[in-house]
Amino acid sequence: MNGNNAENKRGVIRAIAAVAVIVIIVAAGAFLALKYTSDTSGDETAAAANSAISSDSQSVKGFPLSFSSNDIVTVGSAGSYVYVVSNEVLFGVSSSGRQKFSEVINYSEPVIKTAGNYALVFDRRSGKFVLCHKGKVIYKGQSLDSQQIFTAVVASNGNFAVASRSTEVACLLTYYSKKGEELFRWECSRDHIVSVAISSNAKKLTCAALSAEGGEIVTKVYLLNIYSDETEWEYTVKGSAAISISFASGSRKLDLLCTDRRILLDSSSNSVSAESTFSSALLASHSDQNGYAVTLTRKFGAMNSYELTSYSPDNSVCYIYETDKKVTDIFCAGKKSYVLTQDSIICVSSSGKESKTLRLSSAGLGLCVSGGNVYHYTLNDLYKN
């Protein structure tokens, strides 16, 4: 980063890192999930789950779907299915708007991660999780010792990894098959994992962890082979807080996103292949399964001046799209991007130009794209555009 604003931000980070790192870790996962409280009992929640969805004929047949009894916390798409998550109930919905299942979960802080045809929904606080495949729940479990989950991830083959608090060490990373069989376990003695990724061949894991040293925040990246007890490779970045980590290409190059920069690491040469710093405040990011990613930044001191930057798997910039509309959410689908504003969804082409603008009848909280279908949701409704 350049300029006085950047230096001021770094100074603040260094000064408060020793205290703030614990707060960052507990709230890990890049951005805070929306939280809602509920006094619904188990029986009442089950009844609500069976009668919660209704639809009308507005805009698209079968949509919007109304979840009047359940406030939507988040939504994720996997294959041709959309998973709608409230604190009380998880719903599986087909692209035609048909409800495939409803599962009572009663999660305090639910998060959803998707890959291929799989969706993993977990509760940060209780450590419980469910794995879904093609509109069905195929496995339910809980973190070891029922500890808090810092983060989790699912692979396109259904394997998934859970980073949880431990009574013995700072963080415990456990890798499971889609049947819930434990395949690998790794202890992180001092650092707290905030992001984890699974390689395309499902044989390696990488994770980004936070700690503090001498009042300075430190990010450590670990590369793990599930057939070895030893850490295969590690890398340290001082002064930057990690947001996410992913495999950029194969199982040797890693894409690390921090609050102030984006770094492409090459474990085979123990080097940085590419690095780019953000000239303005990072607000959000999203990446797809093929290594493409988008970041949303806002210029310092500007209320409504947003930049959406699209990155290729080698960390090169595909394009930069600018808008003065307030952005609520972003989504990456290869070189194409989708931007949710208060009154529209802007479809950005691979050349960085607006290819289509979808006008919304009500302001959305978030969006997802699956099978060419664009969805957005409000507090109680799911729309297909």
Side-chain angles (χ1 to χ4, degrees):
M1 292 178 106
N2 298 313
N4 293 329
N5 286 327
E7 290 302 319
N8 289 341
K9 185 177 181 182
R10 282 179 178 159
V12 172
I13 290 177
R14 291 191 184 102
I16 66 173
V19 177
V21 67
I22 302 301
V23 178
I24 295 172
I25 290 161
V26 172
F31 305 100
L32 294 176
L34 294 175
K35 300 178 181 65
Y36 301 93
T37 57
S38 172
D39 297 324
T40 308
S41 69
D43 290 342
E44 291 171 336
T45 303
N50 292 328
S51 60
I53 298 182
S54 61
S55 65
D56 60 35
S57 57
Q58 180 182 341
S59 70
V60 178
K61 184 177 181 180
F63 287 87
L65 297 178
S66 179
F67 302 82
S68 57
S69 301
N70 299 271
D71 291 346
I72 299 174
V73 177
T74 186
V75 169
S77 57
S80 58
Y81 296 91
V82 178
Y83 299 90
V84 180
V85 186
S86 73
N87 289 107
E88 299 84 15
V89 185
L90 166 64
F91 299 93
V93 179
S94 70
S95 58
S96 63
R98 180 182 177 187
Q99 179 182 337
K100 303 297 291 185
F101 75 87
S102 60
E103 178 79 19
V104 176
I105 52 176
N106 289 323
Y107 287 177
S108 299
E109 297 182 45
V111 179
I112 185 169
K113 297 294 181 73
T114 62
N117 290 311
Y118 292 89
L120 178 69
V121 182
F122 62 93
D123 183 21
R124 292 187 188 278
R125 188 171 298 180
S126 69
K128 294 180 179 180
F129 53 81
V130 295
L131 181 65
C132 304
H133 179 245
K134 293 186 176 180
K136 298 179 181 179
V137 173
I138 62 171
Y139 183 77
K140 293 188 287 186
Q142 192 164 15
S143 62
L144 296 178
D145 299 325
S146 302
Q147 293 290 314
Q148 172 191 3
I149 294 177
F150 292 123
T151 188
V153 69
V154 63
S156 57
N157 71 343
N159 288 1
F160 60 99
V162 177
S164 60
R165 187 182 295 277
S166 171
T167 56
E168 303 296 330
V169 292
C171 193
L172 186 66
L173 180 61
T174 311
Y175 184 45
Y176 300 92
S177 73
K178 62 184 178 182
K179 296 180 180 180
E181 304 161 328
E182 184 177 317
L183 303 175
F184 175 78
R185 187 187 301 186
W186 182 73
E187 296 180 346
C188 197
S189 58
R190 296 173 53 191
D191 310 321
H192 296 260
I193 297 173
V194 296
S195 181
V196 60
I198 303 170
S199 65
S200 57
N201 63 9
K203 296 180 181 180
K204 292 187 179 183
L205 305 176
T206 185
C207 61
L210 295 181
S211 61
E213 295 178 6
E216 183 178 45
I217 199 162
V218 175
T219 290
K220 290 186 178 179
V221 175
Y222 298 96
L223 181 62
L224 310 169
N225 188 317
I226 66 171
Y227 300 112
S228 173
D229 293 331
E230 301 295 327
T231 301
E232 184 171 309
W233 184 75
E234 62 180 87
Y235 190 85
T236 300
V237 179
K238 294 186 177 181
S240 293
I243 293 176
S244 66
I245 187 76
S246 60
F247 284 93
S249 178
S251 58
R252 302 298 298 178
K253 290 189 176 182
L254 310 174
D255 187 2
L256 174 66
L257 178 66
C258 296
T259 52
D260 63 345
R261 69 188 73 180
R262 185 183 179 90
I263 307 172
L264 185 64
L265 301 170
D266 189 342
S267 63
S268 59
S269 61
N270 193 33
S271 64
V272 174
S273 297
E275 181 175 351
S276 57
T277 56
F278 304 128
S279 59
S280 52
L282 178 67
L283 300 177
S285 67
H286 185 257
S287 58
D288 70 4
Q289 300 173 50
N290 299 314
Y292 287 92
V294 290
T295 58
L296 180 70
T297 56
R298 183 173 58 197
K299 295 180 180 178
F300 290 111
M303 290 300 295
N304 292 305
S305 181
Y306 297 90
E307 287 187 348
L308 180 81
T309 305
S310 171
Y311 295 90
S312 67
D314 64 1
N315 205 39
S316 62
V317 175
C318 300
Y319 57 80
I320 297 176
Y321 171 79
E322 298 183 2
T323 181
D324 57 2
K325 294 184 176 181
K326 184 178 181 180
V327 177
T328 306
D329 198 10
I330 58 175
F331 194 94
C332 173
K335 290 185 178 181
K336 295 180 179 180
S337 304
Y338 298 84
V339 180
L340 175 65
T341 70
Q342 291 181 312
D343 62 359
S344 64
I345 297 175
I346 302 170
C347 306
V348 183
S349 70
S350 58
S351 62
K353 306 295 183 181
E354 291 186 25
S355 60
K356 183 187 299 184
T357 299
L358 306 172
R359 301 298 177 185
L360 306 181
S361 58
S362 57
L365 298 176
L367 83 161
C368 63
V369 180
S370 180
N373 297 314
V374 182
Y375 303 88
H376 81 279
Y377 63 93
T378 61
L379 187 61
N380 296 113
D381 299 298
L382 175 68
Y383 293 81
K384 179 180 177 181
N385 301 279

